[in-house]
Amino acid sequence: MFLRNHRIRSAALGAILAPLTLASTALAQRTELKPGWNLFSPQQDIQVGKQAAQGAEQQLVMCNDAKVDAYLAKLGMKLVAHLNTEGVKYPWEFHCVNDKAINAFALPGGFVFINRGVIEVADDEAQLAAVMAHELSHVALRHGTSQATKAQFAQVGIGLVGALLGGSNAGALLTELGSFTAGGVLLRYSRSAETQADVMGTQVLYDSGYDPRALAQFFEKLQADSRGKNPPEFFSDHPSPDHRVERVDEEIERLGGVPANAKKDSREFEEIKREVLALPVVKKGAELPGKGTFKRPEGPSKTFSDFQGTGYTMRYPENWTVHAGNDGAAIGPEGGFATDGSGTSALAYGMTVGVMKTSGDAKAGNALEDATKELIEGLQQGNPRMHVTREPGKVLLNNQAGLSTYLSNDSPMGGQETDWLITVLRPEGLVYFVCTAPQGEFSSYDKTFGAILDSVRFSK
Ligand SMILES: [Zn+2]
């Protein structure tokens, strides 16, 4: 996730390399789609996706309803049976996320997450199947790692990416990509990838016996429902290509039109929809115990200010404030800090940065691992309930080797928080960045944390 801002170059590459072949309409037949340029192997898709899926499950609030999950898996596998994966057997998983925002995403290798909001807003089974068929197509066309290939290429050059993926550093690169971020490289689809997923999704729907119009109908419904309001999250993960609906209609024509007996709904779907509607709503704004309702801080600004750390610079959202301490700083939004009865202030939303003097030999092979362990033990002394939820994995920060660790702790706002720790060993000591947000809200801060970390520049 530290490799970004290569959108323009990636888009240009995409235009040249996109495999979407639009046959001339004289002899209209189904559009043939093939996965694009990709230096990852399908096995590496599974490896990266699996790891990211574990992160996702930690950061999102899941529905935890076996009946709903079983239904999604059954419907998903029915569609998978008509999905062209070029012979690759993916370990398909389908998860219901307890989030009313209308969104869905699929990680490489076949890890599919559907928000309850999609099931609640879908008019019938065909519309839910349409969203799922679109997601499955992203997996089959390997869009996540294809985008990552382009981003890596733009960053370090093709030879190095190939070497990394084939060589001893493969683990580091895969770990880095496997860090789950809702807005990470793996889920940043281009508009051409969206068109491909729409077209293939329409084919899958058609071949599975569902009304292929459902895909366009669902998008139109989302657009109509959101008029004058914020567009649904779905469109930020899956940007609308031009003429989305027209392109889907065109594909239906190529397939020979809507079959007379196309399936639209099922009694089972209606039952599942009722079940989902009855699930407890997980409030995003946590309650501050005994202190009334806690107001969520305003979202992070898209404009950034500069911060000068010890031995590095970075940028942070302009509407956040810096609270400098003895050996570092806490940077967060107004309302992102909570004060307990003793007057101690704790950061609930934002980032804590600092440098820890290291005692061991900085040149030793495992110096970074050891120093990170020491830091975590130190943090745990002040936060006895803090624990590691994902062991340290290798990452790159401003091209320096670092470690990424996930921790869980009591949030000062009540409930649990996620702490995402990045550590890098520098001449000054162990430089650390702790990204903090309440567990259920971490995913909405992920993009901002990623942007801040991307902006880190160590002094030469
Ligand atoms: Zn999409």
Side-chain angles (χ1 to χ4, degrees), residues 134 138 189 194 238:
H134 174 101
H138 279 310
Y189 302 128
E194 283 308 305
H238 304 271

Side-chain angles (χ1 to χ4, degrees), residues 414-435:
Q416 290 292 297
E417 69 181 23
T418 298
D419 294 297
W420 176 29
L421 167 70
I422 303 289
T423 44
V424 177
L425 206 51
R426 297 280 305 162
E428 302 77 39
L430 184 75
V431 180
Y432 61 87
F433 306 86
V434 190
C435 309

Side-chain angles (χ1 to χ4, degrees), residues 295-339:
K295 199 168 157 287
R296 264 207 281 170
E298 189 187 296
S301 162
K302 299 243 181 321
T303 329
F304 280 61
S305 303
D306 293 306
F307 174 77
Q308 176 72 54
T310 311
Y312 66 93
T313 59
M314 65 175 209
R315 298 170 69 71
Y316 65 93
E318 178 180 72
N319 64 341
W320 287 14
T321 45
V322 177
H323 298 252
N326 294 334
D327 48 1
I331 308 172
E334 194 188 329
F337 298 82
T339 309

Side-chain angles (χ1 to χ4, degrees), residues 90-430:
Y90 291 110
W92 298 100
E93 278 184 18
F94 298 87
H95 301 273
C96 172
V97 183
N98 194 337
D99 186 338
K100 285 196 169 267
I102 301 160
N103 204 359
F105 64 92
L107 293 162
F111 305 87
V112 185
F113 292 79
I114 315 274
N115 279 5
R116 67 183 286 182
V118 169
I119 303 171
E120 289 172 346
V121 87
D123 289 327
D124 49 43
E125 186 168 85
Q127 288 188 5
L128 173 60
V131 173
M132 291 174 78
H134 174 101
E135 297 302 332
L136 297 176
S137 303
H138 279 310
V139 175
L141 292 166
R142 307 186 51 216
H143 285 147
T145 48
S146 175
Q147 306 265 122
T149 297
K150 290 169 197 166
Q152 293 278 352
F153 171 55
Q155 174 96 1
V156 295
I158 188 162
L160 189 52
V161 179
L164 282 170
L165 284 168
S168 58
N169 278 323
L173 180 59
L174 294 173
T175 301
E176 177 188 336
L177 284 168
S179 295
F180 170 73
T181 59
V185 157
L186 297 175
L187 296 174
R188 198 178 305 124
Y189 302 128
S190 63
R191 288 189 158 76
S192 67
E194 283 308 305
T195 299
Q196 293 177 13
D198 285 351
V199 169
M200 190 183 246
T202 302
Q203 295 170 352
V204 169
L205 274 186
Y206 180 91
D207 294 339
S208 309
Y210 284 102
D211 187 337
R213 288 170 303 190
L215 193 89
Q217 282 165 357
F218 189 77
F219 291 141
E220 280 178 325
K221 179 184 161 68
L222 288 194
Q223 221 114 41
D225 286 356
S226 62
R227 209 151 281 158
K229 290 185 273 171
N230 287 335
E233 263 181 43
F234 188 84
F235 291 128
S236 57
D237 281 358
H238 304 271
S240 278
D242 288 339
H243 313 298
R244 184 162 221 169
V245 170
E246 290 84 344
R247 184 62 187 87
V248 168
D249 286 344
E250 186 199 320
E251 196 61 25
I252 296 172
E253 284 297 304
R254 286 164 173 263
L255 292 165
V258 181
N261 55 349
K263 185 174 163 108
K264 283 189 84 72
D265 207 6
S266 73
R267 201 182 289 168
E268 204 180 358
F269 170 77
E270 294 303 328
E271 198 182 304
I272 288 296
K273 184 168 167 174
R274 279 195 297 277
E275 173 113 359
V276 169
L277 283 163
L279 284 173
V281 177
V282 179
K283 275 211 197 95
K284 281 212 161 178
E287 302 255 317
L288 195 58
K291 291 183 188 165
T293 307
F294 160 69
K295 199 168 157 287
R296 264 207 281 170
E298 189 187 296
S301 162
K302 299 243 181 321
T303 329
F304 280 61
S305 303
D306 293 306
F307 174 77
Q308 176 72 54
T310 311
Y312 66 93
T313 59
M314 65 175 209
R315 298 170 69 71
Y316 65 93
E318 178 180 72
N319 64 341
W320 287 14
T321 45
V322 177
H323 298 252
N326 294 334
D327 48 1
I331 308 172
E334 194 188 329
F337 298 82
T339 309
D340 70 13
S342 67
T344 310
S345 183
L347 182 74
Y349 295 82
M351 220 157 152
T352 313
V353 298
V355 180
M356 183 189 79
K357 293 260 177 293
T358 44
S359 45
D361 174 9
K363 298 239 159 41
N366 51 355
L368 174 61
E369 283 76 9
D370 288 350
T372 301
K373 197 165 162 243
E374 193 184 330
L375 173 73
I376 292 172
E377 283 164 7
L379 290 171
Q380 284 171 328
Q381 276 171 14
N383 302 272
R385 285 174 44 83
M386 183 179 248
H387 62 272
V388 173
T389 52
R390 201 161 104 210
E391 293 299 326
K394 289 179 186 168
V395 290
L396 287 174
L397 188 66
N398 186 208
N399 290 320
Q400 307 272 306
L403 287 177
S404 157
T405 312
Y406 281 90
L407 301 115
S408 170
N409 192 20
D410 289 342
S411 169
M413 303 300 179
Q416 290 292 297
E417 69 181 23
T418 298
D419 294 297
W420 176 29
L421 167 70
I422 303 289
T423 44
V424 177
L425 206 51
R426 297 280 305 162
E428 302 77 39
L430 184 75

Side-chain angles (χ1 to χ4, degrees), residues 18-33 195-196 199 203 247 250-251 254:
L20 184 62
T21 43
L22 293 172
S24 87
T25 42
L27 216 158
Q29 38 183 237
R30 67 170 58 199
T31 305
E32 219 181 288
L33 294 150
T195 299
Q196 293 177 13
V199 169
Q203 295 170 352
R247 184 62 187 87
E250 186 199 320
E251 196 61 25
R254 286 164 173 263

